[in-house]
Protein backbone atom coordinates (compact mmCIF):
# COMPACT_ATOMS: atom_id res chain seq x y z
CA UNK A 1 0.00 0.00 0.00
CA UNK A 2 1.11 3.59 -0.52
CA UNK A 3 -0.06 7.17 -0.02
CA UNK A 4 1.26 10.63 -0.93
CA UNK A 5 0.67 14.28 -0.02
CA UNK A 6 2.00 17.11 -2.19
CA UNK A 7 1.73 19.84 0.49
CA UNK A 8 4.06 21.54 2.96
CA UNK A 9 3.41 20.12 6.43
CA UNK A 10 5.22 19.00 9.55
CA UNK A 11 2.80 16.16 10.31
CA UNK A 12 1.34 14.00 7.53
CA UNK A 13 -1.68 11.79 8.20
CA UNK A 14 -2.55 9.06 5.73
CA UNK A 15 -5.97 7.69 6.64
CA UNK A 16 -7.15 4.09 6.43
CA UNK A 17 -4.09 2.62 4.74
CA UNK A 18 -4.54 -1.07 3.92
CA UNK A 19 -2.56 -3.21 6.39
CA UNK A 20 -3.61 -6.70 5.33
CA UNK A 21 -4.81 -9.52 7.56
CA UNK A 22 -4.55 -8.94 11.31
CA UNK A 23 -2.07 -11.15 13.15
CA UNK A 24 -0.41 -11.23 16.57
CA UNK A 25 2.94 -11.38 14.77
CA UNK A 26 2.27 -8.72 12.13
CA UNK A 27 4.85 -5.98 11.63
CA UNK A 28 4.24 -3.02 9.33
CA UNK A 29 7.33 -1.66 7.59
CA UNK A 30 6.97 1.91 6.29
CA UNK A 31 9.31 3.54 3.77
CA UNK A 32 8.97 7.34 4.04
CA UNK A 33 10.19 9.73 1.33
CA UNK A 34 10.07 13.52 1.45
CA UNK A 35 11.58 16.75 0.16
CA UNK A 36 12.56 19.48 2.60
CA UNK A 37 12.47 23.18 1.59
CA UNK A 38 15.16 24.37 4.01
CA UNK A 39 18.88 23.86 4.53
CA UNK A 40 18.97 21.50 7.54
CA UNK A 41 18.90 17.73 7.09
CA UNK A 42 15.49 16.65 8.47
CA UNK A 43 14.49 13.59 10.48
CA UNK A 44 11.23 11.82 11.22
CA UNK A 45 10.48 12.60 14.87
CA UNK A 46 7.81 9.94 15.21
CA UNK A 47 5.75 7.54 13.13
CA UNK A 48 2.61 5.65 14.16
CA UNK A 49 0.60 2.98 12.38
CA UNK A 50 -2.94 2.45 13.63
CA UNK A 51 -1.99 4.36 16.77
CA UNK A 52 1.03 2.12 17.48
CA UNK A 53 4.40 3.88 17.77
CA UNK A 54 7.06 2.74 15.36
CA UNK A 55 10.84 2.52 15.58
CA UNK A 56 13.35 3.67 12.98
CA UNK A 57 15.08 0.86 11.08
CA UNK A 58 17.30 3.01 8.85
CA UNK A 59 17.99 6.57 7.74
CA UNK A 60 18.09 6.45 3.94
CA UNK A 61 18.72 10.13 3.21
CA UNK A 62 20.54 11.08 0.02
CA UNK A 63 24.22 11.66 0.81
CA UNK A 64 24.74 14.34 -1.86
CA UNK A 65 21.97 16.67 -0.65
CA UNK A 66 20.57 15.33 2.65
CA UNK A 67 19.12 18.75 3.43
CA UNK A 68 16.62 18.30 0.59
CA UNK A 69 16.09 14.65 -0.26
CA UNK A 70 15.35 12.34 2.64
CA UNK A 71 13.96 8.83 3.14
CA UNK A 72 13.64 6.63 6.22
CA UNK A 73 12.49 3.08 6.97
CA UNK A 74 10.37 2.40 10.07
CA UNK A 75 8.71 -0.61 11.74
CA UNK A 76 5.58 -0.82 13.90
CA UNK A 77 4.12 -4.02 15.38
CA UNK A 78 0.38 -3.75 14.73
CA UNK A 79 -1.55 -6.94 15.60
CA UNK A 80 -5.11 -5.69 15.00
CA UNK A 81 -7.08 -4.05 12.20
CA UNK A 82 -7.06 -4.45 8.44
CA UNK A 83 -6.60 -0.70 7.88
CA UNK A 84 -5.00 2.04 9.94
CA UNK A 85 -3.82 5.63 9.83
CA UNK A 86 -0.12 6.20 9.21
CA UNK A 87 1.01 9.43 10.87
CA UNK A 88 4.47 10.80 10.08
CA UNK A 89 5.80 13.73 12.11
CA UNK A 90 9.00 15.49 11.01
CA UNK A 91 11.26 17.72 13.06
CA UNK A 92 10.72 20.45 10.45
CA UNK A 93 8.18 21.12 7.71
CA UNK A 94 8.54 19.18 4.46
CA UNK A 95 7.44 20.31 1.01
CA UNK A 96 5.83 16.94 0.32
CA UNK A 97 5.87 13.39 1.65
CA UNK A 98 4.91 9.84 0.68
CA UNK A 99 4.82 6.43 2.34
CA UNK A 100 4.98 2.81 1.18
CA UNK A 101 3.82 0.14 3.65
CA UNK A 102 4.38 -3.62 3.73
CA UNK A 103 2.88 -6.13 6.20
CA UNK A 104 5.10 -9.02 7.35
CA UNK A 105 3.65 -11.75 9.58
CA UNK A 106 5.40 -14.48 11.54
CA UNK A 107 8.18 -14.12 14.10
CA UNK A 108 11.22 -12.79 12.25
CA UNK A 109 14.58 -11.07 12.65
CA UNK A 110 16.43 -8.49 10.58
CA UNK A 111 18.95 -10.71 8.78
CA UNK A 112 20.65 -7.97 6.76
CA UNK A 113 20.20 -4.38 5.54
CA UNK A 114 22.00 -2.42 2.83
CA UNK A 115 21.72 1.06 1.34
CA UNK A 116 22.84 3.05 -1.70
CA UNK A 117 22.58 6.78 -0.97
CA UNK A 118 23.80 8.64 -4.05
CA UNK A 119 24.16 6.66 -7.27
CA UNK A 120 21.65 6.60 -10.11
CA UNK A 121 21.47 2.81 -9.94
CA UNK A 122 21.67 0.48 -6.95
CA UNK A 123 22.95 -3.08 -6.66
CA UNK A 124 22.62 -4.54 -3.16
CA UNK A 125 23.85 -8.12 -2.75
CA UNK A 126 22.77 -10.50 0.03
CA UNK A 127 24.43 -13.86 0.65
CA UNK A 128 23.33 -16.91 2.60
CA UNK A 129 19.73 -15.75 2.93
CA UNK A 130 17.78 -18.35 4.99
CA UNK A 131 14.77 -20.24 3.67
CA UNK A 132 11.46 -18.49 4.24
CA UNK A 133 12.91 -14.97 4.16
CA UNK A 134 11.30 -11.79 2.84
CA UNK A 135 13.10 -8.99 0.99
CA UNK A 136 11.72 -5.44 1.11
CA UNK A 137 13.20 -2.57 -0.90
CA UNK A 138 12.40 1.14 -1.19
CA UNK A 139 13.76 3.91 -3.37
CA UNK A 140 13.30 7.68 -3.37
CA UNK A 141 14.10 9.69 -6.47
CA UNK A 142 13.52 12.90 -8.38
CA UNK A 143 12.26 14.09 -11.75
CA UNK A 144 9.17 11.91 -11.70
CA UNK A 145 11.18 9.12 -13.30
CA UNK A 146 10.02 5.52 -13.30
CA UNK A 147 12.24 2.78 -11.89
CA UNK A 148 12.98 -0.75 -13.11
CA UNK A 149 13.73 -3.38 -10.45
CA UNK A 150 15.82 -6.50 -11.03
CA UNK A 151 14.45 -10.05 -11.14
CA UNK A 152 15.12 -10.90 -7.48
CA UNK A 153 12.26 -8.64 -6.32
CA UNK A 154 8.84 -7.67 -7.69
CA UNK A 155 7.77 -4.05 -8.02
CA UNK A 156 4.89 -3.05 -5.73
CA UNK A 157 4.71 0.74 -6.15
CA UNK A 158 6.28 3.24 -8.57
CA UNK A 159 4.71 6.69 -8.38
CA UNK A 160 5.16 10.45 -8.11
CA UNK A 161 4.79 12.29 -4.82
CA UNK A 162 5.08 15.56 -6.72
CA UNK A 163 4.12 15.57 -10.43
CA UNK A 164 7.36 15.28 -12.42
CA UNK A 165 9.27 15.75 -9.16
CA UNK A 166 9.97 13.71 -6.02
CA UNK A 167 8.94 10.09 -6.50
CA UNK A 168 8.96 6.79 -4.63
CA UNK A 169 9.16 3.13 -5.58
CA UNK A 170 8.96 -0.11 -3.64
CA UNK A 171 9.52 -3.81 -4.30
CA UNK A 172 9.45 -7.06 -2.36
CA UNK A 173 9.81 -10.81 -2.63
CA UNK A 174 9.16 -13.84 -0.42
CA UNK A 175 11.88 -16.49 -0.73
CA UNK A 176 10.68 -19.96 0.19
CA UNK A 177 14.15 -21.21 -0.72
CA UNK A 178 17.11 -19.18 0.49
CA UNK A 179 20.40 -18.45 -1.22
CA UNK A 180 22.16 -15.43 -2.69
CA UNK A 181 20.11 -12.53 -4.06
CA UNK A 182 20.87 -9.10 -5.52
CA UNK A 183 18.41 -6.21 -5.39
CA UNK A 184 18.95 -3.86 -8.33
CA UNK A 185 17.10 -0.79 -9.53
CA UNK A 186 17.69 2.09 -11.91
CA UNK A 187 15.77 4.70 -13.85
CA UNK A 188 13.89 3.05 -16.69
CA UNK A 189 14.92 5.74 -19.20
CA UNK A 190 18.60 5.44 -18.29
CA UNK A 191 19.00 9.06 -17.12
CA UNK A 192 21.08 9.97 -14.07
CA UNK A 193 19.88 10.87 -10.59
CA UNK A 194 22.50 11.86 -8.02
CA UNK A 195 19.70 12.47 -5.49
CA UNK A 196 18.46 8.86 -5.43
CA UNK A 197 18.47 6.77 -2.25
CA UNK A 198 17.72 3.06 -1.94
CA UNK A 199 17.38 0.61 0.95
CA UNK A 200 16.85 -3.17 0.97
CA UNK A 201 16.35 -5.42 3.99
CA UNK A 202 16.14 -9.17 4.47
CA UNK A 203 13.75 -10.44 7.16
CA UNK A 204 14.21 -14.07 8.15
CA UNK A 205 12.20 -16.48 10.35
CA UNK A 206 13.14 -16.59 14.01
CA UNK A 207 14.78 -19.91 14.91
CA UNK A 208 15.79 -20.09 18.53
CA UNK A 209 17.92 -17.14 19.63
CA UNK A 210 19.71 -14.77 17.28
CA UNK A 211 20.03 -14.76 13.51
CA UNK A 212 21.61 -18.22 13.25
CA UNK A 213 19.12 -20.44 15.03
CA UNK A 214 20.97 -21.31 18.24
CA UNK A 215 18.83 -23.02 20.87
CA UNK A 216 18.91 -25.38 23.84
CA UNK A 217 17.43 -28.89 23.31
CA UNK A 218 15.96 -29.70 26.71
CA UNK A 219 14.74 -33.10 25.41
CA UNK A 220 18.24 -34.56 25.92
CA UNK A 221 19.77 -33.91 29.32
CA UNK A 222 23.35 -34.45 28.13
CA UNK A 223 23.08 -31.27 26.08
CA UNK A 224 21.85 -29.01 28.89
CA UNK A 225 24.14 -26.01 29.11
CA UNK A 226 25.48 -26.40 25.56
CA UNK A 227 24.27 -24.17 22.73
CA UNK A 228 24.25 -25.76 19.33
CA UNK A 229 22.83 -25.19 15.87
CA UNK A 230 20.82 -27.93 14.17
CA UNK A 231 23.33 -28.47 11.37
CA UNK A 232 26.41 -28.20 13.59
CA UNK A 233 28.30 -30.48 15.93
CA UNK A 234 27.12 -30.69 19.54
CA UNK A 235 29.57 -30.08 22.37
CA UNK A 236 28.73 -31.71 25.70
CA UNK A 237 30.08 -30.66 29.08
CA UNK A 238 30.08 -33.74 31.31
CA UNK A 239 31.74 -32.18 34.34
CA UNK A 240 32.38 -28.78 35.82
CA UNK A 241 36.03 -29.13 34.85
CA UNK A 242 35.00 -29.15 31.15
CA UNK A 243 33.73 -25.59 31.39
CA UNK A 244 36.34 -23.00 30.46
CA UNK A 245 34.06 -19.99 30.00
CA UNK A 246 33.30 -17.24 32.43
Amino acid sequence: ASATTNSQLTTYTYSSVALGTASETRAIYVFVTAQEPGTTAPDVSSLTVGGVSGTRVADVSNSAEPQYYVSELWRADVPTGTTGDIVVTWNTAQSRCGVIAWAVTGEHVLYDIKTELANTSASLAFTGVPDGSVILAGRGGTGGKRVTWGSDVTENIDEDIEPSGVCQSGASSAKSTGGNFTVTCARTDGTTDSRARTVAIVLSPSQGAGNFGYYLPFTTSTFLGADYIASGTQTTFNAASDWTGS
Side-chain angles (χ1 to χ4, degrees), residues 77-125:
D77 295 329
V78 188
T80 61
T82 57
T83 64
D85 295 351
I86 296 179
V87 182
V88 182
T89 300
W90 294 86
N91 64 343
T92 186
Q94 304 298 297
S95 297
R96 51 199 55 86
C97 180
V99 295
I100 300 173
W102 299 271
V104 177
T105 57
E107 297 291 346
H108 60 275
V109 296
L110 176 58
Y111 177 79
D112 203 356
I113 180 169
K114 295 187 177 180
T115 59
E116 170 54 67
L117 304 179
N119 291 333
T120 297
S121 60
S123 181
L124 307 174

Side-chain angles (χ1 to χ4, degrees), residues 93-167:
Q94 304 298 297
S95 297
R96 51 199 55 86
C97 180
V99 295
I100 300 173
W102 299 271
V104 177
T105 57
E107 297 291 346
H108 60 275
V109 296
L110 176 58
Y111 177 79
D112 203 356
I113 180 169
K114 295 187 177 180
T115 59
E116 170 54 67
L117 304 179
N119 291 333
T120 297
S121 60
S123 181
L124 307 174
F126 299 96
T127 60
V129 173
D131 294 350
S133 296
V134 172
I135 299 175
L136 306 179
R139 176 184 171 96
T142 60
K145 298 294 185 177
R146 301 284 66 85
V147 170
T148 298
W149 293 90
S151 59
D152 280 342
V153 290
T154 299
E155 180 184 291
N156 306 128
I157 301 292
D158 192 26
E159 63 186 1
D160 290 348
I161 299 173
E162 172 195 18
S164 300
V166 178
C167 47

Side-chain angles (χ1 to χ4, degrees), residues 41-42 61-70 117 194-195:
S61 300
N62 173 256
S63 60
E65 296 184 274
Q67 72 275 25
Y68 293 120
Y69 300 99
V70 58
L117 304 179
S194 62
R195 297 163 176 170

Side-chain angles (χ1 to χ4, degrees), residues 18-91:
L19 303 179
T21 304
S23 169
E24 287 297 323
T25 62
R26 184 179 63 185
I28 306 298
Y29 289 85
V30 182
F31 181 68
V32 186
T33 293
Q35 180 182 5
E36 201 261 328
T39 58
T40 302
D43 289 306
V44 174
S45 299
S46 65
L47 182 147
T48 61
V49 181
V52 178
S53 295
T55 56
R56 182 185 288 108
V57 178
D59 183 347
V60 200
S61 300
N62 173 256
S63 60
E65 296 184 274
Q67 72 275 25
Y68 293 120
Y69 300 99
V70 58
S71 297
E72 296 190 11
L73 181 65
W74 284 64
R75 168 182 172 163
D77 295 329
V78 188
T80 61
T82 57
T83 64
D85 295 351
I86 296 179
V87 182
V88 182
T89 300
W90 294 86
N91 64 343

